[in-house]
Amino acid sequence: MNALQRAWQGFRAWRWPGVLSRTLAAVVGGYAVGALVSVACALLLPMPRAEAVLTGMMLSFAAYAGAVLWAFAARSAWRAWAGILLPALLLAAASWAGRVT
């Protein structure tokens, strides 16, 4: 095996954990953000409940797409996770606060 082949194998082995992490952040984190947007809208929007639920469901698709875009546009996998988990925590707190009151 020549040096170019060894370098290529090293490059491939080094990149896949970051891609896997970003993919998990996009799929799992994006789903969580989308679900939390739907819940937060249903609980917090000042409109009839049925309209708030439908609005939340429609906005959840945009939130999921935005989370997927963010996961692969972030500078590192750590920033991708942070950029998805922070809004998820804020939405969860807002949903909890809306349910408590």
Side-chain angles (χ1 to χ4, degrees), residues 4-75:
L4 183 60
Q5 288 173 336
R6 279 181 289 172
W8 177 249
Q9 284 181 345
F11 179 75
R12 285 190 321 174
W14 180 72
R15 288 285 184 188
W16 75 266
V19 174
L20 179 64
S21 179
R22 288 172 188 261
T23 303
L24 287 173
V27 173
V28 176
Y31 181 82
V33 168
L36 287 167
V37 163
S38 182
V39 169
C41 288
L43 291 173
L44 300 174
L45 286 179
M47 56 179 63
R49 181 62 59 129
E51 291 178 15
V53 168
L54 287 174
T55 302
M57 288 174 60
M58 288 187 287
L59 287 175
S60 72
F61 290 108
Y64 184 82
V68 170
L69 288 173
W70 170 257
F72 290 101
R75 189 170 293 196

